[in-house]
Amino acid sequence: MPQGQPLVVPQDGLTTRQRRNRPLVVVHTGAMKGKSTAAFGLALRGWAQGWDIGVFQFVKSAKWKVGEENAFRALGRVHDETGEGGPVEWHKMGEGWSWSRKQGSDDDHAAAAAEGWLEIKRRLETERHDVYVLDEFTYPMKWGWVDVDDVVKTLVERPGHQHVIITGRDADLRLIEAADLVMETGKIKHPMDAGQKGQRGIEW
Amino acid sequence: MPQGQPLVVPQDGLTTRQRRNRPLVVVHTGAMKGKSTAAFGLALRGWAQGWDIGVFQFVKSAKWKVGEENAFRALGRVHDETGEGGPVEWHKMGEGWSWSRKQGSDDDHAAAAAEGWLEIKRRLETERHDVYVLDEFTYPMKWGWVDVDDVVKTLVERPGHQHVIITGRDADLRLIEAADLVMETGKIKHPMDAGQKGQRGIEW
């Protein structure tokens, strides 16, 4: 597909190259499945660019994303062994964050989510990754476990060239306002309409 | 995310397990970008299941998908070397199909597209792959380079347990009718609206 041309060239004092290479906040939202799938597809492309990928899963039980996790861990090993692509870190709240001393005991989901966000904030400050996937991060925002204004301010003011991809339903309007790209996956037709349940390899 | 429950249990004589494991025809269509990204995200999950992945790119110049191609080729090597995940084949029309003697000289796009479809048809008959990604395949259908009724009949009657994912704009209504899952990616907000052109690692 061709890249397309923007309809308007903004008067922001930036060159086309500066504007083109602006780091993005991407939100995949909407009621349908496919949000995380699309986000991981984007991260895959970043990996191939040699970008450093950090995935943070904000769900208690992360069993549904085990396919993506295995694939990205394999890609991370490819990088470590051959130098191809970028390094990959995959962290999940469900088992206690890997950097946390409280591993395996995060019964307090609100505290665990807040701890996850604090770590991401630290990493954004030190420009640790090139691409951050904050999977299902809209939920802790929705439930008040992390402060939406803090998230938005941190994203807007993050230094360097760090892309941040956030998935989940019901993205807060302040996040949508701050994002550069908001994608919504819609269904035209779904096998569940025909009485079919989810299946391994397709739905998880 | 929970799997959800179908609203209706069909009277089709199948058990839940049989119905659940039915192979799918998935179409990613719509005017926005993100169709292929989502399709490759789905293929990534299939790879992690150990499924055999066959990608067929129906575009003259395949330069925009080089990130996905590199990542999937790396995953294919992981499989070949360690047995993890599934095997991967990546074929593109742009350079002449890899199985074709006419490699590098497919100036006749219509003939090249028809040849690609013929090979996919052969592979479906012999159950060569578990997942087929027919990237941008809606265009040769739209332009009459392949016969839509033949495609639909072949997909509907394909043997075994083969998933087929088709991407591209303007999917034919007969294909949508025959598909099990049709996803449309919609934009809420896009950086091109703010005068930003596509960038490496994000758009291609």
Side-chain angles (χ1 to χ4, degrees):
Chain A
M1 301 294 295
Q3 284 174 243
Q5 291 291 331
L7 293 172
V8 183
V9 176
Q11 305 295 315
D12 54 11
L14 297 175
T15 65
T16 300
R17 176 174 292 272
Q18 285 170 331
R19 207 176 296 114
R20 168 179 293 194
N21 290 325
R22 195 179 57 181
L24 300 177
V25 172
V26 180
V27 176
H28 282 275
T29 191
M32 281 305 303
K33 291 181 183 200
K35 297 180 287 294
S36 298
T37 307
F40 289 122
L42 204 50
L44 189 74
R45 201 179 292 170
W47 175 86
Q49 289 290 333
W51 288 350
D52 184 308
I53 311 291
V55 179
F56 302 84
Q57 290 195 286
F58 282 84
V59 280
K60 173 64 185 159
S61 165
K63 66 177 172 174
W64 306 116
K65 309 289 170 56
V66 73
E68 284 87 345
E69 181 178 349
N70 289 341
F72 272 93
R73 286 193 188 280
L75 289 170
R77 286 195 301 276
V78 167
H79 172 78
D80 296 343
E81 287 162 18
T82 70
E84 188 183 350
V88 176
E89 284 188 33
W90 191 288
H91 301 288
K92 43 191 177 183
M93 196 174 109
E95 307 169 349
W97 298 107
S98 51
W99 62 76
S100 171
R101 279 167 301 176
K102 288 175 292 183
Q103 207 164 351
S105 65
D106 59 345
D107 287 334
D108 185 345
H109 302 177
E115 192 198 337
W117 166 242
L118 201 66
E119 175 68 18
I120 290 160
K121 217 172 142 173
R122 260 183 244 123
R123 290 178 182 222
L124 284 166
E125 273 163 28
T126 56
E127 302 181 42
R128 171 78 165 267
H129 304 289
D130 299 307
V131 176
Y132 298 72
V133 179
L134 312 189
D135 193 40
E136 316 256 24
F137 189 52
T138 58
Y139 302 105
M141 290 173 82
K142 183 178 178 180
W143 297 327
W145 294 352
V146 298
D147 181 62
V148 177
D149 291 324
D150 180 42
V151 170
V152 169
K153 185 169 186 290
T154 303
L155 292 178
V156 168
E157 296 178 354
R158 74 196 187 285
H161 191 270
Q162 304 177 91
H163 298 289
V164 181
I165 307 166
I166 294 173
T167 77
R169 294 186 188 204
D170 304 329
D172 192 282
L173 286 176
R174 286 164 286 178
L175 177 64
I176 288 184
E177 185 55 39
D180 302 289
L181 172 59
V182 180
M183 298 294 281
E184 187 163 30
T185 306
K187 172 194 72 161
I188 299 180
K189 193 174 170 182
H190 193 279
M192 281 202 195
D193 301 339
Q196 185 175 10
K197 287 173 148 193
Q199 62 178 293
R200 223 168 107 97
I202 296 291
E203 303 277 357
W204 71 88
Chain B
M1 302 293 295
Q3 285 173 241
Q5 289 292 328
L7 293 172
V8 183
V9 176
Q11 305 294 315
D12 54 11
L14 297 174
T15 65
T16 299
R17 176 174 291 274
Q18 284 169 332
R19 206 176 298 115
R20 167 180 292 193
N21 290 325
R22 195 178 57 181
L24 300 177
V25 173
V26 180
V27 177
H28 282 275
T29 191
M32 280 306 302
K33 293 183 181 195
K35 297 182 286 293
S36 298
T37 308
F40 289 123
L42 205 50
L44 188 76
R45 203 181 290 172
W47 175 86
Q49 289 290 332
W51 288 350
D52 184 309
I53 311 292
V55 179
F56 303 84
Q57 290 195 287
F58 283 83
V59 280
K60 174 63 186 162
S61 164
K63 67 176 171 173
W64 305 117
K65 309 288 170 57
V66 73
E68 283 88 344
E69 181 179 350
N70 290 341
F72 272 94
R73 287 195 189 279
L75 289 169
R77 286 195 301 277
V78 167
H79 173 77
D80 296 344
E81 287 162 18
T82 69
E84 189 183 349
V88 176
E89 284 188 34
W90 191 287
H91 301 288
K92 43 191 178 183
M93 196 174 111
E95 307 169 351
W97 298 107
S98 50
W99 60 77
S100 171
R101 279 166 302 177
K102 289 176 291 185
Q103 206 163 352
S105 64
D106 58 346
D107 288 336
D108 185 344
H109 302 178
E115 192 200 338
W117 167 242
L118 201 67
E119 174 69 16
I120 290 160
K121 217 173 144 173
R122 261 183 244 124
R123 291 177 182 223
L124 285 166
E125 275 164 27
T126 56
E127 304 181 40
R128 172 79 164 266
H129 304 290
D130 299 306
V131 176
Y132 298 72
V133 179
L134 313 188
D135 192 40
E136 317 256 24
F137 189 52
T138 57
Y139 302 105
M141 292 175 81
K142 183 178 178 180
W143 298 327
W145 295 352
V146 299
D147 181 60
V148 177
D149 290 325
D150 180 43
V151 170
V152 168
K153 187 171 184 292
T154 303
L155 292 178
V156 168
E157 297 177 355
R158 75 195 186 286
H161 192 269
Q162 305 178 89
H163 298 288
V164 182
I165 307 166
I166 294 172
T167 75
R169 294 185 188 207
D170 304 330
D172 192 281
L173 285 177
R174 287 165 285 178
L175 177 65
I176 288 183
E177 185 55 39
D180 302 290
L181 172 59
V182 180
M183 298 293 281
E184 188 164 28
T185 305
K187 171 193 75 159
I188 298 179
K189 192 174 173 182
H190 194 280
M192 282 202 196
D193 300 339
Q196 185 174 12
K197 288 175 148 191
Q199 62 177 295
R200 220 168 110 97
I202 296 292
E203 304 277 358
W204 71 90

